[in-house]
Amino acid sequence: MRRKSNYDKFPTIPVCTSDSWESWPVIFDRLRACTTEANSVICIECYPGVLESVLTRTLDYGLQPAAVIMTADLLNSSPAIERMVADMLGDDPVFGRMNRIQIEDFFDERKLGIARDRANRWYNGLLLIVGTGATLVAPEPDVLIYADMARREIQQRQRRNEIGNLGAENSQESAGLKYKRAFFVDWRAADRLKASLMSRIDFWLDTNSDIPKLVSGQSMREGLRQLVHRPFRVVPYFDPGPWGGHWMEEVCDLPNDVPNHAWCFDCVPEENSLLFRFGSTCVEVPAMNVTLLHPRELLGQSVYTRFGAEFPIRFDFLDTMGGGNLSLQVHPKAQYIWDKFGMKYTQDESYYLLDAAEDASVYLGIKNHINRDAMIRELKAAQTNGHSFRAEAYVNKFPARKHDHFLIPAGTIHCSGKNSMVLEVSATPYIFTFKLWDWDRMGLDGLPRPIHIDHGLMNIAWDRDTNWVRKNLVNQIEPVAEGPGWREERTGLHKLEFIETRRHWFTGPTPHETLDTVNVLNLVEGEEAVVESPTNAFEPFVVHYAETFIVPAAIGAYRISPTGQSIAKNSATIKASVRNHWPHSEQTAGY
């Protein structure tokens, strides 16, 4: 909080093409030019969360079609859909089970068959088919448009009660339950369908704001192709929380429009978006699109073979500066997350301290020789009787300093204390957090946050006591290599975790190599740095303090140097990648 912010909240990615259109009148003109035939079918496939009725009215007004089919009219009844997803969702307010539900499973077969027959026999002018699953009605339309949306905007619409879930009459349901259904069902099914269409989409429609933007499918695919051959950043997403602090407000130059800023998804491609600049037009699309279209180039062949088209590394910020402790929590072990939730890998993680006040701390592992039964009784009493849990009687509390690194393999009880600024480096399945105690406080909605003591107690690694944690999880820093103006350190993670982290301190050019795995980095010290290709394969890429950036596996060799205000000053990055090997007994449950 001692520097003027140079953090870029809206990183844009220039694309060497300008095949785009902005505003409805211009978009209508472009689409009319595509439908000069007397009989044409336009499919507008929609990601769940797009305001389909508003979009349909707008297109109906602008294109004057002879007929319109809305896929929402072809879905099964809401009760039938709720019965279909019931086993996957259960009655827990947070957790569900991963599944293979497809978009077609939402549809009434009879209604869909009638609509397909109508589209196949269409001969009377322009037919518009709009909604999620539009391509199920007309798999080979004359024009295929994909109306896309970032999950950031979807969540805001859920909170404002503007939307419900796919085929559900639940727009007034809590935002948490709508997010849960979307996370486990809607988004998974929609991404499977999107992946099958990406190579033949004619136009992408950005529906995140009131100003529509259209870009040709060829240009979008070219932008995504260019992306996996250069470093890039995703658009960060900030959110308040009951324990949130105020460090990011200054360092990241955030508006003072919420009580605090607790989280920043600084690199969670499943949730974040990308901002492409086509000429003068900026188009926002989900960052998952690049993972779906170019998984091998982005992730590396070995990572893609292991995880499929999923981005397995997550960087996010946890800000408790002037706030409170995070919830005391534990993440599921690998076998447990597979057995209970159908997830192929779990949330191993670590806390890297970007900054820390004098009283900053991290709770990590249980104390030596504690009475396990007494701890369990107190946790349950805190949940059922309103008694405060004596966390410091049972859980280690370590002082935390800037640049400390605490490793947190699944099963380790933990939380960040107040007055800490944490860069959380972890595996991606972030939703699977078992809260054990929340420090006698309410959520921002005034209601208690969900506690999962039974799940948590099944996953606490009771042998990870003070001695074990000190030896294995606190500042496990080892020198690795050095050269002129740089040195490399291994900072973790633990051997049970599949992520490797390396810290580089540098005052001059520092060599890096992706080694066939995606690299995720953050500039943890220094005002700015430049990422360059030794063969000039991509344009120099400048990053600023606290910014997370992705280096695709396809890049291979690259170097990072101080630049601007940081020239001749000491800078540092933390880098995460997927190890080529890790203990299969712990980490491949369910494969």
Side-chain angles (χ1 to χ4, degrees):
M1 302 180 72
R2 297 177 295 276
R3 47 167 51 86
K4 182 179 179 181
S5 175
N6 59 0
Y7 182 93
D8 186 356
K9 299 188 295 297
F10 303 101
T12 59
I13 301 158
V15 181
C16 299
T17 176
S18 58
D19 198 8
S20 60
W21 303 266
E22 189 170 342
S23 83
W24 281 122
V26 177
I27 291 172
F28 292 148
D29 287 343
R30 180 65 187 91
L31 295 181
R32 288 190 196 100
C34 298
T35 56
T36 55
E37 297 295 327
N39 307 312
S40 301
V41 176
I42 296 181
C43 263
I44 301 93
E45 182 70 55
C46 297
Y47 202 81
V50 172
L51 301 177
E52 294 179 4
S53 59
V54 175
L55 179 60
T56 303
R57 287 197 298 270
T58 302
L59 293 169
D60 190 25
Y61 171 80
L63 297 177
Q64 297 291 304
V68 176
I69 296 175
M70 293 186 65
T71 61
D73 297 332
L74 312 177
L75 299 174
N76 282 314
S77 68
S78 179
I81 291 173
E82 292 304 313
R83 288 193 295 270
M84 177 183 71
V85 302
D87 287 345
M88 291 76 176
L89 298 181
D91 56 6
D92 188 276
V94 177
F95 306 124
R97 186 171 179 83
M98 306 302 284
N99 57 82
R100 295 300 300 177
I101 288 178
Q102 309 291 327
I103 289 294
E104 49 262 45
D105 297 328
F106 287 84
F107 281 80
D108 181 301
E109 291 184 7
R110 184 187 65 83
K111 293 179 181 178
L112 182 59
I114 293 171
R116 280 174 173 162
D117 187 63
R118 184 184 183 192
N120 287 337
R121 299 172 182 271
W122 184 253
Y123 57 89
N124 191 29
L126 175 61
L127 172 64
L128 281 183
I129 307 172
V130 185
T132 304
T135 50
L136 301 179
V137 179
E140 301 291 339
D142 297 290
V143 179
L144 173 55
I145 302 170
Y146 199 98
D148 219 345
M149 173 163 287
R151 292 185 185 176
R152 165 197 58 77
E153 175 61 21
I154 294 172
Q155 290 179 60
Q156 297 304 317
R157 293 182 181 190
Q158 289 173 339
R159 293 172 184 178
R160 296 191 297 261
N161 292 330
E162 294 175 356
I163 59 172
N165 292 108
L166 181 59
E169 298 173 355
N170 68 336
S171 62
Q172 301 303 306
E173 193 173 51
S174 74
L177 288 176
K178 286 184 285 192
Y179 177 87
K180 171 191 167 183
R181 159 71 186 278
F183 180 91
F184 286 101
V185 180
D186 300 0
W187 295 341
R188 306 289 167 181
D191 282 343
R192 292 181 192 116
L193 178 59
K194 183 196 289 187
S196 72
L197 300 174
M198 292 186 77
S199 64
R200 59 189 184 89
I201 292 170
D202 296 305
F203 297 98
W204 247 275
L205 180 63
D206 177 356
T207 63
N208 290 285
S209 69
D210 293 334
I211 302 174
K213 297 158 187 178
L214 190 75
V215 61
S216 73
Q218 182 177 354
S219 293
M220 180 61 72
R221 285 185 289 273
E222 175 60 18
L224 294 169
R225 187 199 65 78
Q226 292 177 20
L227 193 66
V228 294
H229 296 285
R230 52 156 292 171
F232 67 94
R233 291 184 60 224
V234 297
V235 180
Y237 171 38
F238 300 88
D239 224 8
W243 40 264
H246 304 282
W247 187 92
M248 292 188 294
E249 292 171 0
E250 184 167 345
V251 172
C252 302
D253 191 26
L254 303 181
N256 188 21
D257 57 354
V258 291
N260 60 64
H261 286 89
W263 283 283
C264 171
F265 285 5
D266 203 45
C267 179
V268 188
E270 193 171 84
E271 297 278 334
N272 290 117
S273 56
L274 300 166
L275 272 180
F276 284 114
R277 187 173 69 248
F278 298 93
S280 61
T281 302
C282 281
V283 177
E284 184 176 13
V285 296
M288 270 296 291
N289 286 4
V290 68
T291 311
L292 295 175
L293 190 61
H294 292 291
R296 291 176 180 84
E297 297 93 332
L298 175 65
L299 304 176
Q301 181 61 51
S302 62
V303 178
Y304 176 58
T305 299
R306 187 179 302 173
F307 295 98
E310 294 186 14
F311 199 95
I313 301 173
R314 162 193 173 187
F315 275 34
D316 62 284
F317 297 157
L318 305 172
D319 183 352
T320 68
M321 287 290 206
N325 300 335
L326 271 66
S327 62
L328 192 66
Q329 59 192 244
V330 66
H331 298 299
K333 297 176 183 178
Q335 191 64 51
Y336 194 89
I337 200 172
W338 170 253
D339 291 342
K340 296 293 184 181
F341 309 114
M343 188 73 199
K344 293 186 291 186
Y345 60 101
T346 191
Q347 186 172 331
D348 294 308
E349 64 183 26
S350 67
Y351 288 166
Y352 188 92
L353 271 293
L354 277 175
D355 208 347
E358 290 186 2
D359 60 345
S361 61
V362 168
Y363 292 80
L364 187 63
I366 60 173
K367 289 189 170 182
N368 289 340
H369 313 303
I370 59 108
N371 185 320
R372 182 191 304 188
D373 293 336
M375 177 176 166
I376 292 172
R377 283 196 302 271
E378 286 201 29
L379 279 170
K380 291 183 175 179
Q383 173 66 7
T384 58
N385 301 326
H387 297 166
S388 292
F389 175 66
R390 297 180 302 137
E392 293 180 31
Y394 298 101
V395 181
N396 300 306
K397 183 180 180 182
F398 295 99
R401 300 292 177 259
K402 185 175 181 177
H403 295 304
D404 283 350
H405 200 179
F406 298 88
L407 315 180
I408 314 172
T412 310
I413 192 170
H414 67 281
C415 76
S416 172
K418 65 181 181 179
N419 291 328
S420 301
M421 183 60 211
V422 169
L423 169 63
E424 186 177 56
V425 179
S426 76
T428 298
Y430 51 89
I431 199 171
F432 296 99
T433 297
F434 301 145
K435 296 182 181 69
L436 300 168
W437 189 51
D438 207 17
W439 308 93
D440 297 326
R441 67 182 165 210
M442 299 291 108
L444 291 183
D445 57 4
L447 300 174
R449 296 201 296 165
I451 301 294
H452 293 92
I453 287 180
D454 290 339
H455 283 307
L457 294 177
M458 292 291 291
N459 284 277
I460 293 175
W462 297 99
D463 58 339
R464 294 180 192 170
D465 60 11
T466 308
N467 294 340
W468 191 92
V469 168
R470 285 189 186 277
K471 182 179 179 181
N472 291 278
L473 304 184
V474 179
N475 284 331
Q476 301 297 299
I477 298 170
E478 306 170 9
V480 173
E482 62 181 324
W486 63 270
R487 72 181 191 275
E488 178 182 1
E489 300 167 332
R490 181 182 183 275
T491 70
L493 298 186
H494 189 265
K495 64 181 181 180
L496 296 178
E497 306 178 68
F498 66 75
I499 294 174
E500 176 80 6
T501 57
R502 299 290 178 94
R503 181 170 59 197
H504 290 78
W505 295 97
F506 56 98
T507 56
T510 305
H512 291 259
E513 168 64 52
T514 61
L515 298 174
D516 191 39
T517 174
V518 64
N519 290 188
V520 182
L521 302 94
N522 186 284
L523 185 64
V524 297
E525 186 72 30
E527 293 297 325
E528 54 188 336
V530 60
V531 188
E532 298 172 293
S533 166
T535 61
N536 298 314
F538 55 82
E539 292 292 321
F541 180 73
V542 175
V543 295
H544 308 100
Y545 175 66
E547 292 180 352
T548 301
F549 58 101
I550 296 169
V551 179
I555 283 180
Y558 62 102
R559 64 174 176 257
I560 302 178
S561 310
T563 192
Q565 300 177 57
S566 294
I567 290 178
K569 297 179 181 178
N570 204 25
S571 298
T573 56
I574 190 79
K575 175 172 71 173
S577 59
V578 176
R579 291 190 183 119
N580 287 329
H581 303 286
W582 84 99
H584 289 261
S585 60
E586 273 287 319
Q587 294 304 110
T588 57
Y591 273 76

